[in-house]
């Protein structure tokens, strides 16, 4: 199945330095799944919330904006380093986890411990890590963290998350996905189902979608089964 997967999506490549997907047959740039699903999420009124939160804390909106930007950068980099560590550990390669000095090493050590605990539970055959794929008409692309083979010879899609997962804003995605709450879990449900639709468009059967959540405030990792939905 690994060779079939590679053949089906061999024409799409991800360039990490620019975070873009390219159809190597045509040279066309493909929009990403993460960018596409933003179209269905409620708009965040940054100006309003900067003003409100800055007033509550007694700081300027510029100071708060810089805080948000720095926190976002730290979160992305922490997640990226953990993803690299997980990919290496899943493939049973020896790796010593390291992070830049400006990141919180204590927090990262907690995440690494959870990741090591998780890897010990993985028993399914690994088909691919950081797998790049696209839809049938080559207009949308994405990359999932891991594809595995179930006991029924079907694919399991796994994605790792380190940020907020249990937030709730009492808002919903736009149609046709207005049955999904506009929370992190709702967003990731949409993301993984796009990956599922990509695989199914090439004739692969998907058995399960799952998110593995690593967070320093939890005693260990948590696994969430993601519901299957129809992608329109």
């Amino acid at each position: 199945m690994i060779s079939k997967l590679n053949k089906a999506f061999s024409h799409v490549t991800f360039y990490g330095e620019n975070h873009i997907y390219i159809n190597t047959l045509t040279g066309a740039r493909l929009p990403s799944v993460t960018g596409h699903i933003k179209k269905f999420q409620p708009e965040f009124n940054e100006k309003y919330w900067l003003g409100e939160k800055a007033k509550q804390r007694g700081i300027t909106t510029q100071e708060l904006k810089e805080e948000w930007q720095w926190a976002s950068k730290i979160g992305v980099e922490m997640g990226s380093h953990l993803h690299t560590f997980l990919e290496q550990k899943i493939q049973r390669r020896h790796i010593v986890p390291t992070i830049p000095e400006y990141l919180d090493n204590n927090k990262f050590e907690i995440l690494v411990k959870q990741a090591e605990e998780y890897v010990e539970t993985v028993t399914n055959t690994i088909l691919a890590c950081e797998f790049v794929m696209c839809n049938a008409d080559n207009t949308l692309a994405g990359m999932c963290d891991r594809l595995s083979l179930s006991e029924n010879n079907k694919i399991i899609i796994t994605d790792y998350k380190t940020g907020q997962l249990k937030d709730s804003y009492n808002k919903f995605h736009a149609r046709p996905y207005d049955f999904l709450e506009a929370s992190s879990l709702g967003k990731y449900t949409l993301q993984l189902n796009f990956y599922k639709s990509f695989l199914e468009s090439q004739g692969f059967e998907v058995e399960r979608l799952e998110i593995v959540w690593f967070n320093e405030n939890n005693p260990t990792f948590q696994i969430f089964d993601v519901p299957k939905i129809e992608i329109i």
Side-chain angles (χ1 to χ4, degrees), residues 2-229:
I2 296 175
S3 60
K4 290 182 179 179
L5 281 165
N6 290 332
K7 182 178 179 180
F9 301 105
S10 62
H11 63 289
V12 58
T13 300
F14 177 70
Y15 293 91
E17 61 275 14
N18 299 314
H19 202 85
I20 60 173
Y21 297 90
I22 298 292
N23 181 337
T24 57
L25 297 179
T26 64
R29 178 173 175 173
L30 306 183
S32 70
V33 168
T34 52
H36 180 68
I37 62 180
K38 289 180 181 178
K39 299 177 182 179
F40 306 102
Q41 296 169 336
E43 184 178 355
F44 177 66
N45 191 333
E46 182 180 74
K47 184 177 180 180
Y48 170 79
W49 285 111
L50 274 173
E52 287 294 307
K53 296 299 181 181
K55 187 187 305 181
Q56 291 174 13
R57 292 181 52 191
I59 61 177
T60 68
T61 56
Q62 183 59 34
E63 288 174 324
L64 183 58
K65 185 174 184 178
E66 289 174 359
E67 276 189 25
W68 285 1
Q69 290 173 338
W70 178 248
S72 176
K73 173 182 171 63
I74 293 297
V76 168
E77 290 204 23
M78 191 79 76
S80 177
H81 283 283
L82 188 70
H83 275 66
T84 299
F85 175 72
L86 274 162
E87 181 181 354
Q88 298 294 320
K89 290 290 287 187
I90 284 288
Q91 297 179 24
R92 306 300 176 184
R93 298 175 185 171
H94 177 70
I95 181 173
V96 177
T98 58
I99 58 172
E101 291 183 359
Y102 59 82
L103 294 180
D104 187 337
N105 191 61
N106 291 331
K107 175 179 176 179
F108 190 65
E109 285 181 355
I110 295 173
L111 297 179
V112 166
K113 183 177 181 294
Q114 292 180 5
E116 290 176 330
E117 292 171 348
Y118 168 68
V119 169
E120 294 304 313
T121 70
V122 176
T123 56
N124 295 104
T125 300
I126 309 301
L127 296 173
C129 294
E130 304 271 307
F131 189 73
V132 177
M133 53 187 139
C134 63
N135 59 356
D137 54 3
N138 297 303
T139 56
L140 197 62
M143 179 169 61
C144 71
D145 291 328
R146 194 177 85 236
L147 299 179
S148 305
L149 192 65
S150 74
E151 295 179 355
N152 300 316
N153 287 319
K154 297 180 182 180
I155 292 177
I156 300 170
I157 298 176
T158 303
D159 228 42
Y160 310 130
K161 303 298 180 186
T162 57
Q164 182 60 263
L165 197 64
K166 294 184 176 180
D167 51 350
S168 180
Y169 305 104
N170 296 315
K171 294 183 179 181
F172 291 82
H173 285 77
R175 296 178 65 182
Y177 307 112
D178 48 342
F179 55 89
L180 280 177
E181 188 177 7
S183 60
S184 294
L185 197 54
K187 175 178 67 176
Y188 298 143
T189 295
L190 198 52
Q191 179 186 0
L192 266 64
N193 274 279
F194 268 99
Y195 298 158
K196 178 178 76 73
S197 70
F198 294 173
L199 292 166
E200 290 176 338
S201 72
Q202 297 296 327
F204 298 101
E205 290 186 85
V206 176
E207 180 171 308
R208 190 169 78 248
L209 316 174
E210 63 180 20
I211 289 172
V212 187
W213 185 35
F214 305 95
N215 188 280
E216 73 277 8
N217 296 316
N218 297 333
T220 188
F221 66 90
Q222 295 182 36
I223 298 178
F224 293 84
D225 286 324
V226 175
K228 294 181 181 179
I229 64 173

